[in-house]
Amino acid sequence: MTNCANIGKGSRRTLDHINAGAHLNKRSQKSGTTLDHKDDLYVDDAAFIFLTKSDLIKGTQFVKECFALFGLEVHLGSRANNAKSKTEAVYFPSHSNLKNEIPEELVNGDFDILDGRFVSFVPKFKYLGTYLSQSLTEEADIDARILAATKTFNALGRSIFRNRKIPIELRSQLYLAITVNILLWGCDSWALKTTQLSRLSTFHNKCVRQLCGYTMYNVKDYRIRTETCLEKTNLKPIETIITVRQLRFLSRIAQMDESRLTRQVMNSQGIISAGSRAGRNKTTKMALRDALKRAGLLNGKIDIKTSEWIDCLNDEETPSRIENNLGLKPGTFKKRKKGNPFI
């Protein structure tokens, strides 16, 4: 179980009231149905949101007692046995406190529960392969993705990726199936900044050059361009691969029933006070909007309404348009062929 705490003083943004009916890239002024969502339950994991530290302590004790009624145990730390806590708490500062230094006790400290048990604060935690950090950006996740992909690529470099005895077409497909999947795990909902996308692109281009057998000396002496390497390996730029994955994610949401939570959240907007600086940070909705525009869909639309992108992605002609605009092989987006590791 994971406890998520937002205990910043003067926090003006809460996550338990979401106004349904928003546009994909603009806050709607229309009133909609309130969507209350205060906790997440997934199989044997749970996440709860608290707005104060006192609520966090009381809520953790309450959850512990409730679990005990069903014969379940919350994995708390024990000072007597010097055991670490599997349950973790994360402090997410309010928008007004983003620039202020976070107290150390809310980063690496802990708080006590009854019977000598405790819960540890952490700056980030891993859930289903994705890192959530106090900054609520993709930085920590991208750092972990690049590190894991680098280790995998280097481990298989001599035997597979740089092995000239294996056809480059097969090596490219293995690179997509292994390294790229590790690199872009969870990218469907990433809200990437330009610097973050540049880091991913740099790693991807470096791997592509090694697939081709080019060193940096070859690149400088013969002025080999990245486009040449991509064409030789029949691969796409990392931005295109991310765009395709995000569009597939949106396509699945467009086919969901309106009662599904994922569909409701995508059609909703958080209640943000006037003067909030949240608009300066890129959001998931903004990233998905940009993916639609990169694919040549809904161009010229300043405000993309929910009904517009859902109808667009459900259109039978949309897969062909995406393939043409992104330079994909026919049938790549419409239907994933069995055994084809591309994206």
Side-chain angles (χ1 to χ4, degrees):
M1 185 190 76
T2 302
N3 288 324
C4 300
N6 184 338
I7 57 178
K9 286 187 177 180
S11 176
R12 296 184 179 181
R13 183 179 183 183
T14 62
L15 301 179
D16 55 339
H17 291 91
I18 301 176
N19 188 24
H23 297 175
L24 189 61
N25 65 326
K26 183 180 179 181
R27 296 189 68 244
S28 174
Q29 301 301 321
K30 297 180 180 179
S31 60
T33 304
T34 300
L35 171 64
D36 290 327
H37 184 61
K38 302 181 181 180
D39 52 60
D40 280 305
L41 305 176
Y42 182 81
V43 191
D44 60 342
D45 289 318
F48 302 93
I49 299 172
F50 302 96
L51 298 183
T52 65
K53 188 174 182 179
S54 60
D55 287 346
L56 171 63
I57 297 174
K58 293 177 183 177
T60 303
Q61 180 64 34
F62 178 75
V63 171
K64 177 178 177 293
E65 294 172 355
C66 288
F67 273 43
L69 296 176
F70 295 93
L72 302 175
E73 181 183 0
V74 179
H75 295 284
L76 303 174
S78 174
R79 301 194 187 279
N81 300 327
N82 197 25
K84 295 182 178 180
S85 174
K86 290 186 177 180
T87 300
E88 298 173 335
V90 180
Y91 166 72
F92 299 106
S94 61
H95 290 293
S96 59
N97 293 330
L98 287 177
K99 292 185 177 181
N100 297 336
E101 184 177 354
I102 300 176
E104 183 63 23
E105 64 179 40
L106 300 179
V107 179
N108 296 311
D110 53 50
F111 60 91
D112 293 321
I113 306 297
L114 298 178
D115 304 325
R117 311 303 289 273
F118 67 91
V119 174
S120 301
F121 278 104
V122 293
K124 63 179 181 180
F125 69 93
K126 188 177 183 180
Y127 186 66
L128 297 179
T130 297
Y131 281 96
L132 297 179
S133 64
Q134 291 178 322
S135 64
L136 289 178
T137 65
E138 319 298 348
E139 202 66 40
D141 204 20
I142 290 175
D143 289 341
R145 296 288 101 211
I146 292 179
L147 179 61
T150 299
K151 290 180 178 179
T152 303
F153 188 86
N154 291 338
L156 300 175
R158 178 176 296 182
S159 59
I160 296 178
F161 299 129
R162 293 190 297 269
N163 190 345
R164 297 295 186 90
K165 296 181 180 179
I166 302 177
I168 192 171
E169 293 83 4
L170 179 57
R171 282 186 281 138
S172 299
Q173 293 299 308
L174 290 173
Y175 166 71
L176 282 171
I178 302 173
T179 307
V180 172
N181 275 336
I182 293 175
L183 179 67
L184 299 183
W185 175 266
C187 74
D188 312 51
S189 58
W190 279 354
L192 294 176
K193 299 179 181 178
T194 303
T195 54
Q196 295 168 341
L197 180 60
S198 178
R199 293 180 57 201
L200 293 170
S201 182
T202 298
F203 172 81
H204 178 60
N205 295 339
K206 178 182 176 181
C207 292
V208 171
R209 284 196 300 269
Q210 294 191 42
L211 287 173
C212 296
Y214 298 142
T215 65
M216 286 306 298
Y217 294 104
N218 300 136
V219 173
K220 292 180 180 179
D221 293 341
Y222 299 100
R223 298 183 180 180
I224 301 174
R225 300 176 61 85
T226 301
E227 292 77 7
T228 303
C229 298
L230 292 172
E231 184 177 354
K232 184 176 180 179
T233 56
N234 197 26
L235 297 174
K236 298 296 179 183
I238 201 70
E239 185 178 24
T240 301
I241 300 177
I242 293 175
T243 298
V244 173
R245 293 191 176 209
Q246 290 180 333
L247 291 176
R248 283 207 174 112
F249 174 63
L250 272 180
S251 297
R252 291 194 294 270
I253 294 178
Q255 296 173 1
M256 290 181 180
D257 187 83
E258 293 184 1
S259 61
R260 294 282 297 275
L261 179 61
T262 306
R263 172 78 175 262
Q264 292 176 0
V265 171
M266 280 301 302
N267 296 343
S268 306
Q269 66 185 26
I271 296 179
I272 306 177
S273 63
S276 171
R277 298 191 294 105
R280 299 182 183 181
N281 299 321
K282 191 167 186 178
T283 65
T284 299
K285 286 187 176 183
M286 292 170 62
L288 296 176
R289 174 205 63 190
D290 293 342
L292 287 168
K293 293 187 175 181
R294 283 196 299 270
L297 306 177
L298 303 176
N299 279 336
K301 291 280 187 178
I302 299 177
D303 182 19
I304 301 176
K305 297 180 180 179
T306 299
S307 58
E308 290 178 337
W309 68 263
I310 289 179
D311 292 342
C312 178
L313 290 175
N314 285 331
D315 190 346
E316 295 182 356
E317 299 298 326
T318 296
S320 299
R321 292 174 56 193
I322 293 175
E323 291 164 2
N324 292 333
N325 294 333
L326 295 180
L328 306 177
K329 293 181 179 179
T332 300
F333 186 86
K334 185 175 182 180
K335 184 178 181 181
R336 187 185 305 181
K337 297 181 180 179
K338 186 176 181 181
N340 184 4
F342 179 71
I343 310 177

